[in-house]
Amino acid sequence: MENIKEDILKDLDNVNTLEELNLLKIKYVGKKGIITSLYSEMKKLSVDDKKNYGKEVNELRDLFNEKFENLKISLEEAKVNEKLEKESIDVTLPGVCLTSGAPHMLDKVIEEVESFFISMGFDVASGPEVEKDLYNFEMLNLPKGHPARDAQDTFYIKGDEWLLRSQTSPVQVRTMLKNKGENPIRVICPGKTYRRDYDDATHSHQFMQVEGLVVDKEISLAHLKNVLDKMAKKIFGDGCVTRFRPSFYPFTEPSVEYDVSCFKCNGKGCNVCKGTSWITIGGAGIVHPNVLRMSGYNPEEWTGFAFGFGVERITMVKYGIPDIRYFYINDLRGNKQFERLGD
Ligand code: DAH
C-alpha cells in the first residue's frame, strides 16, 4: 500500500494537463483501477484484518481524491489564465486610426466651375473618352490632313476612326446633334482628355478640360467675354481682370486666347506669371459656321460661342501647385491639404 501511495504521488506530480489527470482517475479509481481492485481483495481477509485494511484503502482513496480535486482546480485555473493571457486586449496600445477620405482637388475645382456655370443657366454634359475621329476633329472643321491636328498629338485606337479624345470639344458636336438644329444650347462639359505628351511639370498624357458651348440667336463676342470674365472673378477673386488676344482655332472664327491678371503680383511680374503679369487660361471664339452647319444648325439663323480650358492649369495657378504630376501620384497628403477647399 505504501508503494501504491508513492506511485500515486509520483503520478500526480508528473501531470501537466487535465487530460493526463483524467487518465490517472481511470488508472486508480476507475472500474478496474488499482485502488478499486484493492477493495475486491477485502473479501479474502478475516474480520479483524478487514477493519485495518479497509481503513488504509479508504485513506488511500481519500488521498487520491483530495489530491485529484486540488490538482483539477489548479489545472483548470491555469487553463483559463493561459486563455486570458493569449486573448487579452492591451488597452494601453494606441488605437487603429481611421483616416477619412477627401475629394480630389481637381474634383473640388470642377465643382466650383460647375456651380458657377449652373448659376448662369448652363447644363453640365459629358461625352465618351473613346471618341470618333469624326467628332473629335472632322466635324470641328479639322478634316483629315489638316495641319492644326498636329498640335494635338493623338492616341489612335486601331486605325484612324477611333481615338482617345484629345479635347472635350467633341461634346459640342454631340450636344448640337442631340438638339437637332432646333434648340438653343448652354452647356459645359468637364472631362478627361488624352494626348501623346511626355509627362513633365506642365504636361501630362492625361489631363482634364472644361468645354463650354452657347448656341442661340445673335450671340456675340461680348457675351463670351462677359461669361469668361465672370468665371475668372469667381475662381480667382473679384480683383481679377481678363484679357482676350486674337488666336486661331479651326472651330471658331474669330478665335481668342484669354488670360487673367496675375493675382499674385498684381502686374509687377513674378514666377507665377513668368514676369508678364498675365496668365493664359484657355481658348475660345465664335463658333465657326462650318461647325454649326455640320451639326445641323443653320449659321444664317444661329450663332454661338465656345471655350475650353485646362482644369489642372487653373488649379495649379490658383493654388500655386508647381507640378501637374502631383494630381496623379495618389499621395493623400495632397488631398488632405485641400480638404476644406471651397467649403
Ligand atoms: N479644344 C481646345 C484645346 O484643346 C480649346 C478650345 C479652344 C476649345 C477654343 C474651344 C474653343 O471650344 O472655342 O486647345
Side-chain angles (χ1 to χ4, degrees), residues 41-284:
E41 299 290 313
M42 289 247 279
K43 53 187 179 279
K44 296 176 192 161
L45 301 175
S46 67
V47 178
D48 278 352
D49 286 347
K50 260 184 194 163
K51 240 187 180 173
N52 262 342
Y53 180 87
K55 195 175 157 227
E56 281 182 35
V57 178
N58 280 347
E59 276 171 13
L60 204 58
R61 183 201 56 199
D62 293 346
L63 172 87
F64 177 83
N65 281 342
E66 191 194 325
K67 296 252 175 220
F68 176 88
E69 283 307 322
N70 288 344
L71 198 54
K72 191 178 167 198
I73 290 168
S74 61
L75 282 173
E76 277 171 352
E77 246 170 42
K79 202 172 175 178
V80 171
N81 285 340
E82 189 190 303
K83 211 173 163 196
L84 279 177
E85 205 155 286
K86 261 199 214 150
E87 295 173 5
S88 68
I89 299 166
D90 183 350
V91 290
T92 63
L93 283 175
V96 181
C97 185
L98 294 176
T99 49
S100 57
H104 195 274
M105 33 202 150
L106 294 176
D107 285 333
K108 283 273 199 179
V109 170
I110 286 175
E111 250 174 48
E112 218 177 312
V113 169
E114 281 180 357
S115 81
F116 166 77
F117 280 104
I118 288 168
S119 78
M120 300 277 278
F122 281 67
D123 289 330
V124 179
S126 64
E129 289 166 32
V130 175
E131 184 55 282
K132 284 184 161 163
D133 180 281
L134 182 69
Y135 295 160
N136 192 78
F137 287 130
E138 283 195 40
M139 289 178 75
L140 288 166
N141 210 22
L142 277 140
K144 290 213 162 70
H146 193 291
R149 282 186 176 218
D150 295 348
Q152 302 187 6
D153 213 348
T154 308
F155 286 110
Y156 276 93
I157 298 166
K158 275 194 201 159
D160 58 4
E161 195 186 342
W162 291 92
L163 44 77
L164 290 181
R165 67 179 178 195
S166 59
Q167 50 186 351
T168 40
S169 306
V171 186
Q172 286 188 28
V173 176
R174 289 180 172 275
T175 309
M176 284 191 274
L177 290 175
K178 216 161 75 189
N179 282 282
K180 299 188 165 68
E182 289 166 0
N183 308 316
I185 293 169
R186 243 185 276 179
V187 75
I188 58 158
C189 164
K192 291 196 190 92
T193 48
Y194 303 85
R195 287 186 199 175
R196 290 174 53 195
D197 262 331
Y198 286 102
D199 294 357
D200 61 20
T202 52
H203 296 86
S204 168
H205 60 282
Q206 178 206 299
F207 57 103
M208 298 188 90
Q209 287 187 334
V210 175
E211 188 74 18
L213 174 70
V214 168
V215 178
D216 211 324
K217 307 282 163 75
E218 290 170 17
I219 292 292
S220 77
L221 213 52
H223 296 118
L224 167 70
K225 287 175 76 175
N226 179 47
V227 168
L228 291 180
D229 187 67
K230 292 239 159 65
M231 184 197 99
K233 286 183 166 52
K234 172 81 197 293
I235 302 288
F236 298 109
D238 282 342
C240 179
V241 178
T242 39
R243 176 177 83 164
F244 295 81
R245 291 177 286 109
S247 185
F248 172 79
Y249 295 101
F251 27 89
T252 42
E253 180 59 37
S255 302
V256 295
E257 271 183 278
Y258 59 103
D259 308 334
V260 294
S261 56
C262 183
F263 52 86
K264 193 175 172 197
C265 65
N266 264 332
K268 290 191 203 81
C270 69
N271 60 338
V272 174
C273 61
K274 305 210 170 72
T276 64
S277 80
W278 293 99
I279 300 163
T280 301
I281 295 299

